Amino acid sequence: MATTASGRQAWRQLMRNTSRGPASSLSKPQPQQQYRFAFSRQVSSKARVASGRAASQPPSSIFRQQQQQQPFAQRSYSSGSQGGKNTPPRNSQQVKFWPFVVVIALGSGGYVLLVNRRKEMPPTDTASSGGSSTPAFSPAEVTVLFVLGGPGAGKGTQCSRLVRDYHFKHLSAGDLLRAEQDRPGSQYGQLIRDCIKNGEIVPMEVTVALLENAMRETIASTGVRKFLIDGFPRKMDQALKFEEIVCPARLVLFYDCPEAEMERRLLERGKTSGRADDNAESIRKRFRTFVETSMPVVDAYDREGRVVKVDATATPDQVYAATVDKLKKALGDKL
Ligand code: C5P
Ligand code: MG
């Protein structure tokens, strides 16, 4: 599918950037880098908040499952098929000597070819997410709550109240993507625009990097270390990559709302939001993506007992009261 192919392309591009150093940009490297690419496994020690606990933190079991399912890296090495053409003519006088020379020459040539070809190959997914990474932030020092729910479930509304009362930093994956889409010179602008309009998931490398950068900036500039990550992870690979390299999440706050109610809210919002995806056609696609791709993420966390589910059908005040009540039970009175 287009998204998967473009995802692989984005991954190769990003990995090429990272191989130049830990401070690559989401755009092509520029003197004034606004965004730093965050996927280097050699995150600078200054930027790391990781403590011993992060280093020893075992990957979550959903991550282990995924690792087991990952196929082995497949590289199609040349089998030296040009050997047929180069086979010397049979000559009964040379038969004892030349075959050895030819075999050794072909073997050595093939080996050099393979080594050179391998150097040019991009790293495979397995190599780059082999589970040996240490998250950039320790869950002992940084709290991450994922906030999920269908489009129009009220995630943003509830997050802004939690920010007001409990000093979280609200990071909306959708808002970060829209900002990146509009950033002059972004090489992902068009890709993001297309995905959003069609209700598809943007390749996770882009979204995870934007989130990690935003977390770093927040911690550096405000010292706030409690994050509500809204609208993320929308797909299993986002969850796995984020928990592997950024920070294991404490829990998922899931807003459960019937589709008819969400549709009503989105169409109402669409009158003034100016969003390219708040129209009937995009809404339909977003619902489908949510059911097929995002709900399995909620279900996976639920199996781990990491979901706090709130009924989001009632008024914002009522939903907020239920949210605070349930979060306090899960996290303690101070949240
Ligand atoms: O969360 P929000 O409704 O603002 O997201 C808008 C769009 O941004 C989604 O429909 C999707 O295309 C993209 N998105 C994404 N991955 C995320 C969050 C949003 O691809 N984690
Ligand atoms: Mg939102």
Side-chain angles (χ1 to χ4, degrees):
M1 287 197 299
T3 305
T4 316
S6 53
R8 255 185 248 120
Q9 208 176 356
W11 175 250
R12 291 211 182 96
Q13 178 63 46
L14 290 166
M15 289 312 294
R16 252 179 255 134
N17 286 349
T18 40
S19 66
R20 294 191 192 106
S24 306
S25 166
L26 273 184
S27 60
K28 290 184 180 109
Q30 288 167 359
Q32 289 289 323
Q33 287 181 332
Q34 192 177 349
Y35 290 91
R36 283 167 303 123
F37 177 64
F39 279 105
S40 170
R41 275 168 285 155
Q42 300 163 335
V43 179
S44 77
S45 54
K46 188 179 168 199
R48 261 177 203 276
V49 189
S51 70
R53 179 166 160 194
S56 60
Q57 180 85 10
S60 70
S61 61
I62 46 173
F63 178 58
R64 276 198 300 275
Q65 275 172 18
Q66 178 80 3
Q67 278 183 312
Q68 283 159 8
Q69 286 161 8
Q70 265 183 355
F72 289 105
Q74 288 181 353
R75 296 185 191 277
S76 49
Y77 291 118
S78 161
S79 58
S81 57
Q82 73 270 46
K85 273 189 183 169
N86 295 341
T87 308
R90 284 168 199 266
N91 181 329
S92 59
Q93 286 179 328
Q94 294 169 339
V95 85
K96 286 182 184 160
F97 176 68
W98 283 108
F100 293 105
V101 174
V102 170
V103 166
I104 290 167
L106 283 179
S108 309
Y111 177 72
V112 170
L113 202 73
L114 280 180
V115 169
N116 285 341
R117 192 176 276 191
R118 176 157 184 128
K119 273 188 211 156
E120 290 161 12
M121 282 182 172
T124 60
D125 286 354
T126 310
S128 55
S129 61
S132 58
S133 311
T134 303
F137 305 107
S138 160
E141 298 181 20
V142 169
T143 302
V144 167
L145 308 189
F146 289 147
V147 184
L148 289 176
K155 303 181 291 292
T157 305
Q158 296 303 319
C159 283
S160 50
R161 289 165 187 238
L162 287 166
V163 168
R164 180 193 65 198
D165 297 342
Y166 295 98
H167 309 297
F168 282 95
K169 173 69 181 177
H170 174 213
L171 294 178
S172 156
D175 288 350
L176 289 171
L177 286 167
R178 280 182 285 271
E180 176 65 17
Q181 166 198 291
D182 296 337
R183 186 172 66 83
S186 168
Q187 67 185 118
Y188 299 108
Q190 194 54 44
L191 172 71
I192 295 171
R193 193 169 291 113
D194 290 344
C195 286
I196 288 183
K197 184 141 185 290
N198 293 317
E200 290 171 359
I201 306 295
V202 174
M204 57 106 180
E205 293 80 11
V206 177
T207 317
V208 173
L210 289 170
L211 284 169
E212 181 175 352
N213 287 343
M215 288 173 70
R216 286 190 193 292
E217 279 161 22
T218 301
I219 291 172
S221 62
T222 67
V224 171
R225 285 160 184 271
K226 296 197 309 180
F227 294 94
L228 294 167
I229 303 208
D230 164 2
F232 181 95
R234 290 276 234 285
K235 193 174 174 185
M236 209 58 219
D237 65 352
Q238 297 185 342
L240 299 168
K241 182 56 81 179
F242 185 94
E243 295 215 74
E244 181 197 349
I245 70 167
V246 183
C247 187
R250 185 79 177 269
L251 53 78
V252 174
L253 181 55
F254 172 57
Y255 287 105
D256 193 18
C257 194
E259 233 174 61
E261 173 62 15
M262 294 195 288
E263 184 178 17
R264 192 191 63 73
R265 292 177 188 176
L266 289 174
L267 289 173
E268 187 60 32
R269 186 175 78 180
K271 290 177 187 165
T272 54
S273 71
R275 276 180 55 159
D277 58 352
D278 279 349
N279 58 74
E281 194 187 338
S282 293
I283 290 169
R284 241 191 331 276
K285 292 176 180 169
R286 290 160 72 193
F287 283 158
R288 191 178 335 123
T289 301
F290 176 69
V291 171
E292 290 173 3
T293 311
S294 306
M295 264 322 281
V297 179
V298 178
D299 293 339
Y301 279 105
D302 200 24
R303 284 194 292 276
E304 294 199 338
R306 286 205 275 167
V307 172
V308 169
K309 183 170 157 183
V310 177
D311 185 338
T313 326
T315 66
D317 283 345
Q318 289 167 326
V319 176
Y320 184 58
T323 300
V324 170
D325 185 45
K326 292 195 171 185
L327 278 184
K328 282 185 173 174
K329 282 183 186 133
L331 300 173
D333 274 355
K334 286 188 184 166
L335 297 199

